[in-house]
């Protein structure tokens, strides 16, 4: 059974491809490598001992997508391809809307033409409105503050409407919280271009000595130690969640939004301490001002994933910190090492 994985060379996509291949699925990847490296897929093949089919083109290209659907017996689609930097999206909204909506529309149209019904979509906790109480449950108010977030919310709406019009479709909107960590082999992991915005890659690069220190964005939040609290989830747990979502989509029709988080929040200082302790390395830091747009605390209610998918996160913060460092240490320049 072939699964089409768009954006399969990226951070979450590569881990999911590996999990799929290790569980007997045949994988077809479409990725134009705009934010990734083919080396990730070579390593996925080496780790799994299996080959995958790879196509290098833009998922917005319907004609080329049609040919891929014609050439493979695709049963389900996992759509990771997209632009994902919140700050960048504010400066280039049109590129974000064109790519994230365009790729989703192209794929959904192609699936309809080729009678492929199961669609797993990469959504984000960023679709929740800012004034919700924690933990965030799927029925909570939605709303965004930046173009990236809106692209995710708009894609959710497009796919919900599709399921109303075409009741044979089965769509799972997976709302990820904060994916971190890497495969325990240290062979695949997060490889951000340029200076990272996200906490964990900044920590691992600082531990390597590439940055003098981490700036903690604010310590005057209404949280136990004043620093921001997030629901960090191991990327391998997240990848496994996609396999559970695939199984669910095959058994059910309609559209479901489901959180993938642990339900437990950690502060920036807790992460720093855990990282230093488990890896026995020092990460110098300084306290800076709050980062505009940040919330004090964001964490999931993961109950629905447990009930519908039979999934819950199994790996803890020590695993996440150890595996993130194992990847970075072994690949100081990412896939270009
Ligand atoms: P990533 O950038 O590592 O992977 C995305 C992949 O898609 C890259 O390989 C990129 O080259 C490819 N791509 C982008 N646009 C494309 C296009 N039009 N055609 C073909 N390939 C294209 O990102 P990631 O962290 O693996 O995220 C995967 C998905 O999960 C994204 O949709 C992202 O918005 C979503 N998400 C990520 C996070 C996170 O913190 N990493 C959190 C919530 C949601
Ligand atoms: C985590 C915590 C920062 C960097 C973002 C997107 C979200 C989702 C995941 C895609 C916060 C603090 C960070 C640093 C710090 N992506 N921090 N110093 O902002 O929760 O979520 O990525 O869907 O949409 O917004 O993640 O890793 O940037 O920050 O103190 O150098 O670490 O203030 O409290 P965030 P993050």
């Amino acid at each position: 059974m072939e699964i089409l994985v768009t954006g399969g060379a990226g951070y979450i996509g590569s881990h999911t491809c590996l999990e799929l291949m290790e569980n007997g699925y045949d994988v077809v990847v479409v990725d134009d490598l705009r934010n990734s490296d083919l080396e990730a897929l070579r390593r996925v093949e080496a780790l799994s001992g299996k080959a995958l089919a790879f196509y290098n083109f833009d998922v917005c290209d319907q004609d080329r997508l049609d040919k891929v659907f014609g050439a493979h017996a695709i049963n389900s689609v996992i759509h990771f391809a997209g632009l994902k930097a919140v700050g960048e999206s504010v400066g280039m909204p049109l590129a974000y809307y064109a790519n994230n909506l365009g790729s989703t529309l192209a794929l959904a149209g192609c699936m309809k033409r080729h009678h492929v019904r199961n669609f797993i979509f990469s959504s984000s906790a960023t679709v929740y409105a800012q004034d919700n109480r924690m933990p965030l449950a799927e029925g909570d108010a939605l709303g965004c503050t930046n173009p990236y977030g809106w692209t995710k919310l708009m894609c959710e709406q497009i796919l919900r409407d599709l399921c109303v019009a075409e009741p044979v479709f089965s769509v799972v909107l997976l709302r990820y919280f904060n994916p971190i960590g890497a495969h325990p082999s240290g062979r695949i992991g997060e490889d951000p271009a340029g200076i990272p915005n996200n906490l964990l890659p900044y920590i691992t690069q600082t531990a390597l000595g590439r940055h003098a220190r981490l700036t903690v964005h604010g310590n005057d939040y209404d949280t136990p130690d004043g620093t921001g609290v997030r629901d960090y989830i191991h990327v391998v747990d997240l990848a496994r969640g996609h396999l559970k979502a695939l199984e669910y989509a095959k058994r059910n029709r309609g559209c479901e939004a489901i959180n993938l988080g642990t339900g437990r929040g950690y502060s920036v200082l807790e992460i720093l301490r855990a990282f230093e302790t488990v890896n026995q390395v020092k990460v110098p830091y300084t306290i800076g001002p709050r980062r505009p747009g940040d919330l004090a605390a964001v964490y999931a209610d993961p109950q629905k994933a447990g009930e519908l998918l039979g999934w819950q996160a199994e790996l803890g913060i020590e695993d996440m910190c150890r595996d993130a460092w194992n990847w970075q240490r072994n690949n100081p320049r990412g896939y270009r090492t």
Side-chain angles (χ1 to χ4, degrees):
M1 188 180 310
E2 288 181 283
I3 312 294
L4 173 62
V5 182
T6 74
Y11 173 44
I12 306 170
S14 55
H15 288 82
T16 304
C17 286
L18 177 56
E19 204 63 34
L20 286 166
M21 289 158 76
E22 285 178 342
N23 282 277
Y25 291 96
D26 293 317
V27 169
V28 179
V29 170
V30 176
D31 196 311
D32 63 7
L33 305 177
R34 71 180 69 189
N35 195 38
S36 52
D37 199 304
L38 189 56
E39 177 64 14
L41 291 177
R42 293 205 187 98
R43 293 188 185 184
V44 165
E45 291 186 318
L47 286 166
S48 65
K50 285 174 64 174
L52 52 74
F54 173 66
Y55 296 89
N56 182 343
F57 67 85
D58 185 335
V59 181
C60 299
D61 186 335
Q62 297 227 20
D63 294 340
R64 295 191 71 175
L65 271 185
D66 267 324
K67 292 198 178 95
V68 170
F69 276 78
H72 295 273
I74 291 167
N75 169 273
S76 307
V77 174
I78 308 182
H79 181 32
F80 292 109
L83 298 172
K84 63 164 182 176
V86 171
E88 183 184 67
S89 78
V90 176
M92 40 193 291
L94 299 184
Y96 271 70
Y97 286 112
N99 191 48
N100 292 5
L101 272 66
S103 59
T104 303
L105 287 167
L107 262 180
C110 205
M111 289 174 67
K112 193 173 161 209
R113 285 192 293 284
H114 293 268
H115 310 287
V116 177
R117 312 298 192 199
N118 307 319
F119 192 139
I120 313 300
F121 177 70
S122 291
S123 189
S124 167
T126 195
V127 300
Y128 288 109
Q130 294 221 320
D131 49 4
N132 283 307
R133 288 231 202 106
M134 295 300 136
L136 292 166
E138 290 80 355
D140 287 348
L142 303 175
C144 302
T145 55
N146 58 74
Y148 167 71
W150 282 115
T151 67
K152 291 294 172 188
L153 196 46
M154 288 177 183
C155 285
E156 286 201 359
Q157 189 60 44
I158 289 168
L159 295 170
R160 249 182 239 115
D161 291 343
L162 174 67
C163 288
V164 172
E166 310 278 341
V168 290
F169 263 85
S170 178
V171 176
V172 184
L173 311 167
L174 293 177
R175 293 178 181 159
Y176 315 149
F177 279 68
N178 288 57
I180 62 170
H183 190 263
S185 64
R187 298 292 293 153
I188 56 172
E190 188 170 13
D191 186 16
I195 296 173
N197 295 310
N198 293 115
L199 180 63
L200 246 290
Y202 206 97
I203 288 180
T204 57
Q205 292 188 6
T206 305
L208 266 188
R210 274 169 68 180
H211 311 292
R213 63 189 61 81
L214 170 82
T215 301
V216 176
H217 297 320
N219 68 347
D220 58 351
Y221 285 106
D222 184 15
T223 60
D225 65 19
T227 66
V229 167
R230 296 290 182 274
D231 187 337
Y232 297 95
I233 172 167
H234 197 298
V235 67
V236 171
D237 268 334
L238 196 67
R240 290 182 186 141
H242 289 75
L243 272 70
K244 295 287 189 182
L246 268 185
E247 290 163 19
Y248 175 85
K250 286 182 209 150
R251 293 192 310 266
N252 296 276
R253 302 240 178 283
C255 186
E256 286 291 347
I258 301 180
N259 288 340
L260 291 184
T262 66
R264 160 83 152 95
Y266 286 92
S267 74
V268 177
L269 292 181
E270 283 179 309
I271 296 290
L272 265 176
R273 249 176 254 127
F275 188 88
E276 290 187 330
T277 306
V278 75
N279 296 316
Q280 291 296 298
V281 287
K282 275 282 168 214
V283 181
Y285 73 90
T286 182
I287 305 290
R290 291 183 179 192
R291 187 171 64 177
D294 271 0
L295 295 177
V298 180
Y299 50 94
D301 175 348
Q303 200 184 331
K304 188 172 174 185
E307 287 170 5
L308 264 51
L309 307 184
W311 172 92
Q312 63 178 31
E314 286 166 12
L315 299 165
I317 202 69
E318 284 80 16
D319 303 299
M320 302 182 212
C321 289
R322 187 196 56 234
D323 293 336
W325 179 232
N326 186 39
W327 151 254
Q328 186 74 78
R329 197 163 46 93
N330 285 303
N331 306 270
R333 294 273 160 197
Y335 291 110
R336 287 163 300 281
T337 300

